[in-house]
Amino acid sequence: MRLSYLTEVTTSPGRQRASIQLCAQRLGFTLIGEAADLGVSAHKMPPFERPSLSTWLQRPDEYDAIVWSHVDRAVRSVAHMSELIEWGQMHARTLVFGMPEEHQPLVVTPQADGDAIRRCMNLAYAAEQEARTISARLTSAHEVLRSTGRYGGGLVPFGYKKAPHQSGVGWCLAPDPETLNVVHSIVDDVHSGLSLVAIAHKLEAAGVLVPRDRHAQLQGRPTGGRRHGRDFERFRWTAGSLSKILRTPALMGHRVHRGTTVRDAEGAPVLIGPPLLTEEEFQVLQDILNARSNGIHPKRRETSLLIGIAHCAGCSGRMYFATRKAYAYGDYACRASARGTTCSTPAAMRASWLDEYTVSQYREAFAVDGAVTREQLLRDGVRVTVAKGRSGGGPERLAGPDTSRLTFTLGPRP
C-alpha cells in the first residue's frame, strides 16, 4: 500500500487493502505480509527507497509475488516501472497490479511477453503524466498563496503556529508562545558566544522539541519517524537544524520560498505573520553567524570518494568530508553530533591521505591498476575504519597517515 498524503479522514488504505485481498483471492495467493508506505510520494521516491517496501524488495526469497491495488500505487514513472520489471525478472518474482475498471488484475510473470510489459509501461506513463498535471496545479495554487501571504501547508516555521487569515479565507501564521521564547533564547545564546553544537545540547537537555516534532504535536500526530534507515521516537537537535532556523527570513515574518523572501510587484517582502525579529536584529544575527564561518575553504567535491566506505571506530557511524578553516585541504570526520548522537572517541583524518590509503589497499587486494571509483569500492564491499588519533605530536605527523589507526576490510557485496 502507498499513499502520498495521510490524513485522519482518508479511507484509501482500507480500500487498497481490500483490493489487494481480492486480487490475491482471485489468483489463489496467500498473503503473508504487508508493506505500508503512507505519506510517501511515488513521484518523488522509487520503490527501492520506500521505507517499508524496500525492506521486502531486499528479501525476494521469502515470497513469490507482490500485489498492488493499482499501478499508480506502485509507481508514477516509466523509469521506475522498468526497474521494477527488471527486478522481477532477475529474482523470478511475479508482479500483480489490480485493475478495478477491468475486474481482472494485471499479472506480470518473470516470463511475461512483450504485450504485458508494454501494457505496464503504458499505464506507468499515464500515471507519470497524471502526477505532472497534479504537480503543476499544486505549484500554481501555492504561487497564489505565496503572493497573498497565506500559509499553504507544510512545516510551520519554528516560532510560529497556524492561525486563521485576517481575510477570513485560508490560513496565515501567528507567533507560537511556547516556541517564541525558545527562538529568543537561541538568539541570546548565539550573541553570548555559544556554538550551535553547544546550544543543540542545551535544547536536548531541556527536552525542547525540534521543529518537525513540534509541528507533528500541533497537528495531533506522534513525534519522531524514520530517518537514514532508523526509527526515532523523537528527533534530536543538531547544529544544522539550528542553522536553518537562524538563517531563514521567516524570522522577520517573511513568506519564504526555496530559502529566499517572496516579494510583491513593488519589491516589498510578502508578510505571512508578525516578525519575531526586526530586520536590524536579523541582520546582526547573520553577521555573527557569517563571522564564525569565515575562512579559506577547499573546494567541495561533488561526492567524496569514501562516503559510505569510511567509518568511525568510536561509534561505527559514517565519516563525511569536512572543510577546514584557513587550510586548503579537508578531512573525513565523524559526524555523530550532526546526527544528534554522541561519540566517545570521534575520529578524523586528512581526506587525501585516507583516499590514497584506501585506493592503495584496494589495488593490492584486487590486483588492479588505473582509477578507482566510489562505485567500485561499494560494489566490492570495501570498508575502512578509522580510530581516533592521539593529541599533540610533532612534525612527523605531517608526513602522512598513521596506518595503525586504519583497518581495511572487504565485506559481502551489496
Side-chain angles (χ1 to χ4, degrees):
M1 301 189 302
R2 186 199 60 76
L3 186 65
S4 295
Y5 301 101
L6 180 63
T7 65
E8 295 179 356
V9 297
T10 184
T11 60
S12 179
R15 287 184 282 112
Q16 289 184 51
R17 184 179 289 112
S19 175
I20 290 169
Q21 292 171 343
L22 181 60
C23 287
Q25 183 180 6
R26 285 176 174 170
L27 297 171
F29 290 169
T30 300
L31 292 173
I32 65 166
E34 178 180 275
D37 289 304
L38 306 180
V40 175
S41 167
H43 180 63
K44 297 178 180 177
M45 189 176 293
F48 299 93
E49 295 180 12
R50 294 173 200 163
S52 183
L53 179 58
S54 64
T55 62
W56 284 95
L57 293 175
Q58 293 167 10
R59 313 192 310 270
D61 294 337
E62 298 182 13
Y63 50 88
D64 299 306
I66 305 179
V67 184
W68 288 271
S69 63
H70 199 274
V71 168
D72 60 12
R73 297 300 99 189
V75 298
R76 280 190 178 272
S77 161
V78 172
H80 295 167
M81 176 61 83
S82 177
E83 292 174 359
L84 205 55
I85 292 174
E86 184 178 351
W87 174 90
Q89 293 172 338
M90 180 184 303
H91 297 285
R93 294 297 174 263
T94 297
L95 309 177
V96 180
F97 307 99
M99 301 291 288
E101 63 275 13
E102 298 184 13
H103 307 291
Q104 186 65 31
L106 172 59
V107 180
V108 184
T109 65
Q111 300 80 26
D113 57 21
D115 289 340
I117 293 176
R118 275 193 295 273
R119 191 175 180 200
C120 279
M121 301 303 282
N122 288 337
L123 290 169
Y125 177 77
E128 183 174 335
Q129 295 303 110
E130 182 183 26
R132 289 179 177 174
T133 301
I134 293 172
S135 178
R137 289 174 180 170
L138 288 174
T139 298
S140 177
H142 280 280
E143 286 178 355
V144 173
L145 290 173
R146 283 195 294 271
S147 66
T148 57
R150 291 179 182 166
Y151 167 69
L155 186 64
V156 175
F158 196 67
Y160 289 96
K161 64 178 181 179
K162 189 171 71 170
H165 195 270
Q166 60 184 6
S167 66
V169 179
W171 302 88
C172 64
L173 298 179
D176 176 15
E178 291 191 31
T179 55
L180 175 60
N181 292 332
V182 176
V183 171
H184 287 151
S185 176
I186 293 171
V187 173
D188 289 343
D189 285 340
V190 171
H191 281 280
S192 71
L194 278 183
S195 70
L196 296 188
V197 172
I199 297 172
H201 287 314
K202 182 179 177 181
L203 293 171
E204 279 295 312
V208 178
L209 294 178
V210 301
R212 183 171 169 178
D213 283 342
R214 174 59 179 168
H215 181 68
Q217 184 185 63
L218 292 173
Q219 297 293 316
R221 296 187 282 105
T223 60
R226 193 171 183 84
R227 178 180 289 171
H228 304 310
R230 296 174 56 197
D231 293 314
F232 296 86
E233 291 186 6
R234 58 180 292 267
F235 294 111
R236 299 176 65 91
W237 284 96
T238 66
S241 59
L242 278 170
S243 181
K244 289 180 181 178
I245 292 172
L246 298 173
R247 292 289 195 178
T248 177
L251 289 174
M252 297 181 287
H254 292 187
R255 186 69 164 97
V256 177
H257 179 56
R258 294 182 178 178
T260 59
T261 297
V262 176
R263 299 183 179 276
D264 60 23
E266 298 179 355
V270 175
L271 299 181
I272 196 171
L276 307 185
L277 298 179
T278 65
E279 290 190 16
E280 182 180 357
E281 291 170 336
F282 181 77
Q283 188 56 55
V284 170
L285 177 64
Q286 303 314 300
D287 291 341
I288 294 174
L289 296 174
N290 290 337
R292 292 183 179 182
S293 63
N294 282 342
I296 301 171
H297 301 292
K299 182 180 179 181
R300 291 185 178 271
R301 292 177 277 186
E302 292 287 332
T303 302
S304 298
L305 179 67
L306 302 185
I307 299 301
I309 296 152
H311 291 76
C312 172
C315 62
S316 297
R318 287 184 176 185
M319 298 176 72
Y320 291 90
F321 180 78
T323 59
R324 297 193 66 183
K325 292 182 180 179
Y327 288 88
Y329 60 87
D331 297 329
Y332 286 109
C334 172
R335 295 296 304 278
S337 61
R339 294 191 297 270
T341 60
T342 57
C343 177
S344 58
T345 53
M349 178 169 281
R350 188 179 297 193
S352 59
W353 289 353
L354 195 55
D355 286 347
E356 291 170 6
Y357 167 83
T358 305
V359 170
S360 174
Q361 294 293 311
Y362 178 83
R363 287 173 175 162
E364 182 177 340
F366 289 91
V368 297
D369 294 320
V372 175
T373 66
R374 177 170 175 265
E375 289 69 25
Q376 286 176 277
L377 298 174
L378 290 171
R379 180 196 64 200
D380 292 316
V382 173
R383 181 185 177 100
V384 179
T385 304
V386 185
K388 180 179 174 62
R390 61 183 176 83
S391 59
E396 66 276 5
R397 297 195 60 187
L398 300 178
D402 177 4
T403 55
S404 65
R405 297 169 50 199
L406 307 177
T407 304
F408 180 93
T409 59
L410 297 174
R413 298 184 178 188

